[in-house]
Amino acid sequence: MAAPSTGTCGLMERSVRERVPPLLTDLYQFTMAYAYWRAGRHQEPAVFELFFRDNPFDGGFSLFAGLHDCLLFLQSFRITDRDVEFLRFILPPNTDPAFFDFLRGLDCSTVTVRSVPEGSVVFARVPLMEVEGPLAVVQLLETSLLCLVNYASLVCSNAARFRLAAGHQRKLLEMGLRRAQGPDGGLTASRYTHIGGFDLTSNVQAGFLFGIPVAGTMAHSYVTSFSSLEEVWPQTLVTASGDPDPVDVISLTKAWLRRVCELLGAEPGKIHEGELAAFLSYAIAYPQNFLPVIDSYSVGCSGLLNFCAVALALCELGYKPVGVRLDSGDLCRQSMEVRRVFRLCSEQFSASTFNSLTIVGSNNISEETMTELNKKANEIDVVGVGTHLVTCTKQPSLGCVYKLVEVRGRPRMKISEDPKKTTVAGRKAIYRLLDADGHPFLDLLCLNVEPPPEAGCTLTCYPLGGDNSAVSVTPAQVTCLRREVFLKGQTFGAGVNTLKRTLVRTKQPDRDPLFEVISVHFQTDSGAVR
């Protein structure tokens, strides 16, 4: 992945400040902050935890994402005079004016954040972030932090599921900008699907800001805009070696088209001249990046033949065409036929470049489509995914929550009428336990005051939300999942892991989750921690 430049890093920071100012929150955050302030409780030390209650997409895991933006938001958190004037307008008229002076002086210099690394495999009800600081300040952060984490983690997890369905050999191209929920949703999707395992994006701005490799082909509108070879201009192309004498590429392509039709027994009368003109025009503009969509009219009767003719002409001139895109019909069957023709051309015309041509498949691809793709014989090298990826059609929200667990050093707990919404009180530590082969098999929650688990020592724990049956385990290795990433207004140790570095294969690959993990608590001398 290309790294963003210093200039674009500055743009990223400015983008977060502009997209997520302190007023991008719910009104009740300010009314609660005022009530804390009136009661003299606004400086009380408090701890909140951010987590989700259920693994998304009826699966067994999620990927944590959005941390980098959260840290930029915390660094830039300031309530301006203009913000204060608007708050004066919307808050009740009897609000003490001194409260607005208090807001003007707020920042996150007294906030500490401990977090799981971005891009990590995580599970339901495990606290991903712990936010510690003055009660009024950490309360005001709730909505913004949830907004930054919820969709980022959801779309990153969705991308990971697509990657698992596709396997690690096939390249994945994110192309969902036009289907995304607004510009911000599109940019967020491009960024976090890359962390989730996608190789490429069609989003130019995402490439500019985040260094993600950008790729694209052509639209059907470009193909259908041409009707005859008379529209091709210029009609010549110099060789790749730099020969100053330009070659009549139209005549050259026509000659190759006749030979391709003879080889395949195709009917020249069914070939669409406008499509050939479009291919030629594009190839003359980008002779080293020729990858057209070939299903505007008919793949077998026109598109494939036209591509082969233009590609062979480019090869004769010393250029290397890239490949084709299929965007409708039976992608598996068509890809097999396309590859067969490529091999024939390679053998018949000694065009070795045809052995390495790329076949891109796109057409409303879903996770299920991707899984089916792998069950059928096909020759697709790259899959372009849009709508079902960026809109997360199977599940619209991850449902992250931000819950108070401690005030003034004393645990706090929400009971709720719904047992699923009951919180676990107190500050916690989270450990990932690994077996002798280095495979993680369990995530462990315990209170901060409890001793950490030790490698080689058996411990008794209880499944979170289970039937209270004890589980005894002996880890070979123990890692602490969370680390300090924000302290006294400064960020550190918050690098992003990509899926390729963090996704751990299960020992039972037909199962979901990736590896067996139970969120549990230690058993203490006084009984199980609730």
Side-chain angles (χ1 to χ4, degrees), residues 36 46-49 135 402-407 412-413 423:
Y36 287 139
V47 179
F48 283 80
E49 291 177 343
L135 181 55
Y402 183 87
K403 297 301 178 184
L404 181 70
V405 295
E406 184 181 283
V407 177
R412 287 292 183 267
M413 181 178 186
T423 60

Side-chain angles (χ1 to χ4, degrees), residues 431-470:
Y431 302 95
R432 182 155 289 174
L433 310 186
L434 296 86
D435 62 22
D437 296 323
H439 297 290
F441 65 89
L442 185 146
D443 278 1
L444 186 73
L445 276 68
C446 62
L447 293 178
N448 262 11
V449 296
E450 295 181 290
E454 296 181 13
C457 296
T458 301
L459 57 99
T460 302
C461 46
Y462 292 84
L464 186 62
D467 59 3
N468 293 329
S469 300

Side-chain angles (χ1 to χ4, degrees), residues 408-420:
R408 299 192 307 275
R410 299 178 61 186
R412 287 292 183 267
M413 181 178 186
K414 173 185 173 183
I415 304 296
S416 178
E417 297 291 337
D418 184 349
K420 284 189 67 174

Side-chain angles (χ1 to χ4, degrees), residues 418-527:
D418 184 349
K420 284 189 67 174
K421 291 191 172 184
T422 299
T423 60
V424 180
R427 295 179 64 176
K428 303 165 200 67
I430 301 102
Y431 302 95
R432 182 155 289 174
L433 310 186
L434 296 86
D435 62 22
D437 296 323
H439 297 290
F441 65 89
L442 185 146
D443 278 1
L444 186 73
L445 276 68
C446 62
L447 293 178
N448 262 11
V449 296
E450 295 181 290
E454 296 181 13
C457 296
T458 301
L459 57 99
T460 302
C461 46
Y462 292 84
L464 186 62
D467 59 3
N468 293 329
S469 300
V471 178
S472 293
V473 294
T474 305
Q477 302 175 52
V478 176
T479 61
C480 183
L481 276 186
R482 286 196 317 222
R483 60 193 182 196
E484 216 163 66
V485 294
F486 188 85
L487 178 67
K488 296 181 180 179
Q490 299 299 315
T491 65
F492 50 91
V496 177
N497 294 323
T498 65
L499 181 67
K500 297 178 182 67
R501 292 198 293 270
T502 62
L503 204 54
V504 183
R505 284 291 187 183
T506 175
K507 287 182 278 187
Q508 297 162 304
D510 58 322
R511 297 183 61 186
D512 187 6
L514 301 175
F515 47 82
E516 289 299 309
V517 173
I518 317 172
S519 301
V520 297
H521 304 293
F522 268 128
Q523 183 180 28
T524 65
D525 293 338
S526 58

